[in-house]
Amino acid sequence: MFVVTLLTNPKSGHLDTALVENLRNAWGGQDVIWLNTDIAAEFEVEIKPDNQWTVWEELQKLGVDLIVQPVQGRRKKMLLADMDSTMIQQECIDELADEAGVGAHVAGITARAMNGELDFNDALKERVGLLKDLDAAVIDQVLNTRITYMPGGKTLLATMKANSAYAALVSGGFTAFTSKVAAELGFDENRANTLLIEDGKLTGAVGMPILGRQAKVDALEDITAKLGLDETDVMAVGDGANDLGMLGRAGSGVALHAKPSVAAECDIRINHGDLTALLYVQGYSSSDFV
């Protein structure tokens, strides 16, 4: 059996009842279950629809996300999440670069790296090099004035952890940011790169080895082995090309507001919902939210 989930942005969207019922009828689905009135609904079908992606494209125009997945095993025991543009709404290095006066240049490199056009490690070294001699105090300034959280993050973490799931934040960004974000949202651990500092200023170098695409896969392997979990027990979420390794290996790989080249590689694509969409996809209703 497969479960079909439809959801929209909880702040501005409205999931039309007739739309849900019409799709259920067209696909020969079972009774519709509303996970959150006007926001998210699901129904089961016996066979995966062969026109799924055609329908998906049409629903995207209406601000609706469509996910089709096997019913069995969809509720996960571990969350493995990217940070930049996933759990927070910014790219930390772009914000630091803006403070250093090279924001536009660095943002351009970041966008190309996240879209898979540049080697992640080389792009990171180049961008960090442009931050040389920036006062280290700017890190806290950026954290306090520029960083905002992706809607739904605290609810996602609290609900999954209340159901005995483990949560790990794994970022190609920096520990100075992941440590605070992880503590704020309730992650059990965090892994990221280290910005090197001497005499209160950034040296323009990053600690080695660089945590990139393979390191996120390594984290998936390490943590599941430590917890005695299977990779199918994991939901991974990210938006950039350096996330594709973990998204492909996890039981559920979620492309959240992702770059087009990244979304194209994932069966679960959330372009309109917020982070609570990851709960609906697992079959949680709003009444289950913590």
Side-chain angles (χ1 to χ4, degrees):
M1 294 292 289
F2 293 85
V3 60
V4 178
T5 307
L6 297 102
L7 57 92
T8 190
N9 188 315
K11 296 292 185 184
S12 59
H14 174 81
L15 186 58
D16 185 66
T17 301
L19 183 152
V20 177
E21 295 286 354
N22 288 341
L23 185 61
R24 185 277 306 270
N25 293 337
W27 282 355
Q30 298 182 3
D31 290 345
V32 172
I33 298 172
W34 283 90
L35 302 171
N36 191 351
T37 305
D38 295 334
I39 302 299
E42 68 176 33
F43 58 85
E44 294 185 5
V45 293
E46 291 186 4
I47 301 172
K48 192 171 186 178
D50 56 11
N51 64 338
Q52 173 189 348
W53 294 111
T54 301
V55 174
W56 177 86
E57 289 181 359
E58 292 302 312
L59 292 178
Q60 285 292 294
K61 300 172 187 176
L62 301 175
V64 175
D65 290 320
L66 168 71
I67 302 96
V68 182
Q69 61 179 324
V71 172
Q72 187 173 359
R74 65 169 167 152
R75 187 162 292 193
K76 302 305 181 183
K77 300 176 182 177
M78 175 178 156
L79 175 69
L80 186 65
D82 173 45
M83 179 180 70
D84 296 282
S85 298
T86 300
M87 299 309 300
I88 62 174
Q89 296 179 299
Q90 294 77 27
E91 295 282 338
C92 290
I93 194 165
D94 292 358
E95 302 302 322
L96 289 173
D98 201 40
E99 292 285 350
V102 290
H105 181 52
V106 167
I109 299 172
T110 299
R112 293 176 64 198
M114 291 301 97
N115 205 39
E117 299 171 28
L118 300 174
D119 177 80
F120 178 83
N121 289 15
D122 291 343
L124 184 66
K125 290 177 185 176
E126 180 181 358
R127 288 175 290 165
V128 172
L130 293 168
L131 302 179
K132 182 176 169 57
D133 294 328
L134 183 66
D135 194 315
V138 171
I139 293 173
D140 283 336
Q141 181 181 331
V142 167
L143 273 167
N144 294 329
T145 63
R146 288 175 172 259
I147 301 305
T148 55
Y149 291 89
M150 195 70 75
K154 278 194 171 183
T155 301
L156 170 64
L157 268 291
T159 302
M160 288 190 68
K161 291 188 67 177
N163 286 272
S164 302
Y166 189 87
L169 185 66
V170 185
S171 172
F174 309 112
T175 53
F177 292 90
T178 59
S179 58
K180 179 172 181 178
V181 171
E184 177 70 20
L185 294 179
F187 281 93
D188 295 295
E189 67 175 272
N190 69 94
R191 303 184 184 191
N193 294 299
T194 303
L195 282 170
L196 299 183
I197 299 171
E198 288 183 3
D199 300 323
K201 295 184 181 297
L202 302 189
T203 67
V206 62
M208 301 300 284
I210 289 175
L211 192 155
R213 174 171 171 156
Q214 183 56 45
K216 294 192 177 192
V217 174
D218 293 343
L220 173 64
E221 295 176 347
D222 294 346
I223 299 170
T224 52
K226 177 180 71 175
L227 299 175
L229 299 176
D230 191 271
E231 292 180 7
T232 58
D233 295 322
V234 180
M235 172 171 278
V237 58
D239 74 303
N242 62 321
D243 297 315
L244 280 172
M246 70 173 185
L247 294 177
R249 288 280 292 272
S252 294
V254 181
L256 183 81
H257 305 292
K259 312 304 181 286
S261 61
V262 177
E265 299 292 324
C266 298
D267 287 336
I268 303 178
R269 308 171 190 177
I270 305 299
N271 291 328
H272 301 288
D274 64 13
L275 282 166
T276 59
L278 276 65
L279 294 172
Y280 297 131
V281 167
Q282 295 180 76
Y284 290 99
S285 67
S286 57
S287 62
D288 299 320
F289 289 3
V290 177

